[in-house]
Amino acid sequence: MGNKIAIITGASRGLGKSTALHLVRQGVDIIGTYHSLEQEAQNVVEEIESLGGKARMLQLDVGDSSSFEAFKGQVTMLLGTCFSAERFDFLVNNAGIGMHASCADTTEAQFDQLMKVHFKGPFFLTQKLLPLMADGGRIVNLSSGLARFSPIGYAAYASMKGAIEVWTRYLANELGPRGITVNALAPGAIETDFGGGTVRDNPQVNSWISSNTALGRAGLPDDIGAAVSMLLGEGGRWITAQRIEASGGMFV
Ligand SMILES: NC(=O)c1ccc[n+]([C@@H]2O[C@H](COP(=O)([O-])OP(=O)(O)OC[C@H]3O[C@@H](n4cnc5c(N)ncnc54)[C@H](OP(=O)(O)O)[C@@H]3O)[C@@H](O)[C@H]2O)c1
């Protein structure tokens, strides 16, 4: 039997990249996606290959659901030609964008973009890919600590993540008969490029986060890559329909 295969959206950077690198160390092959940074994506492929793993990257705009049928065709072809497989095993709905705006200042255009990228996209991409997923597979949807705590400026973004958490439970119930687990992993503030890299690059923000976190620091991409790969590993097999926060204990 071949290696397990994971599809990870937004695997060119940040949390998706870290997840890919962790899974490769668990013997999982990767089909990753990027949005615009093709070279970054190719660098991740090379890093994975240097670890002895196997990966391919496809371009995808998660905000454009009209492209999902063609994406499914690309995945089907890739599975056959590169991985000698008909099915994949894991789906990590990770790709996303940050946006900071109060309820008063959020525009309809911002709201619609967040909705498409963070909720409608994962919902319909998953629907499209489910026929290609092996029974007994696993899905992890990236939520956010911001769906639990509510600092001003994240209302629309966090509401989409709240929707992801509700959808996760419904999907878990629906896919139970196929032995597929579905969970939402909610990171706290992590040092990536996300939202302009504020958590990583703004010392005031970083120290505010550290002082409100039980473990005393902001998160690192590896903290999340490890958590997602834990859910996709042996220890995750009886965990489904859950929201699991990986925030080092933010605002407890
Ligand atoms: N970092 C945090 O503090 C934090 C906290 C909680 C939750 N999250 C969630 O974790 C996920 C990953 O965040 P991150 O920190 O890794 O972000 P990141 O470093 O900014 O990386 C974002 C990734 O998503 C891809 N992407 C962006 N827009 C896309 C689109 N429209 N269609 C498809 N792919 C797109 C990017 O592709 P390109 O490289 O091609 O641009 C990149 O691979 C997101 O869902 C985010 O909401 C992050």
Side-chain angles (χ1 to χ4, degrees):
M1 216 174 68
N3 288 347
K4 300 264 192 215
I5 301 165
I7 297 181
I8 306 170
T9 64
S12 46
R13 291 183 282 139
L15 309 186
K17 173 184 173 182
S18 175
T19 298
L21 292 170
H22 276 268
L23 286 177
V24 161
R25 292 190 201 99
Q26 288 177 196
V28 176
D29 292 340
I30 307 294
I31 297 176
T33 77
Y34 63 94
H35 182 218
S36 49
L37 299 182
E38 187 176 3
Q39 188 54 52
E40 300 272 340
Q42 208 39 51
N43 294 345
V44 175
V45 170
E46 280 165 26
E47 201 170 334
I48 286 171
E49 287 172 348
S50 75
L51 293 170
K54 192 167 178 180
R56 293 288 185 279
M57 290 281 179
L58 294 173
Q59 198 278 335
L60 174 71
D61 181 355
V62 185
D64 178 12
S65 52
S66 70
S67 70
F68 294 171
E69 181 63 31
F71 179 74
K72 180 186 175 188
Q74 285 180 295
V75 169
T76 306
M77 204 160 79
L78 208 52
L79 285 171
T81 54
C82 295
F83 297 92
S84 306
E86 288 178 2
R87 299 272 180 273
F88 70 94
D89 302 279
F90 307 137
L91 175 61
V92 183
N93 282 308
N94 163 81
I97 49 166
M99 199 171 288
H100 187 272
S102 66
C103 295
D105 293 337
T106 302
T107 65
E108 284 198 38
Q110 287 174 323
F111 185 98
D112 289 346
Q113 191 189 9
L114 286 168
M115 202 271 288
K116 281 189 201 158
V117 170
H118 281 288
F119 185 41
K120 183 179 178 184
F123 190 106
F124 286 102
L125 183 67
T126 303
Q127 183 190 72
K128 192 63 81 180
L129 293 178
L130 270 171
L132 293 179
M133 184 176 231
D135 289 353
R138 297 192 196 166
I139 299 174
V140 175
N141 298 319
L142 269 285
S143 178
S144 170
L146 292 166
R148 176 176 63 82
F149 44 81
S150 318
I152 288 168
Y154 301 98
Y157 166 79
S159 296
M160 305 311 157
K161 294 301 197 182
I164 283 286
E165 293 183 6
V166 173
W167 168 57
T168 293
R169 292 199 305 273
Y170 276 83
L171 193 61
N173 225 0
E174 212 171 303
L175 296 181
R178 288 183 57 189
I180 295 173
T181 68
V182 190
N183 292 290
L185 193 283
I190 315 292
E191 296 183 12
T192 68
D193 296 338
F194 192 74
T198 312
V199 173
R200 182 191 55 216
D201 301 334
N202 183 319
Q204 278 157 323
V205 171
N206 194 285
S207 86
W208 176 74
I209 289 161
S210 304
S211 62
N212 285 294
T213 300
L215 291 177
R217 63 168 174 81
L220 298 170
D222 258 1
D223 295 323
I224 304 307
V228 176
S229 59
M230 181 265 291
L231 283 173
L232 298 180
E234 181 61 12
R237 70 181 182 194
W238 199 236
I239 301 174
T240 195
Q242 300 304 302
R243 175 206 195 255
I244 295 148
E245 191 170 302
S247 69
M250 276 185 84
F251 298 112
V252 286

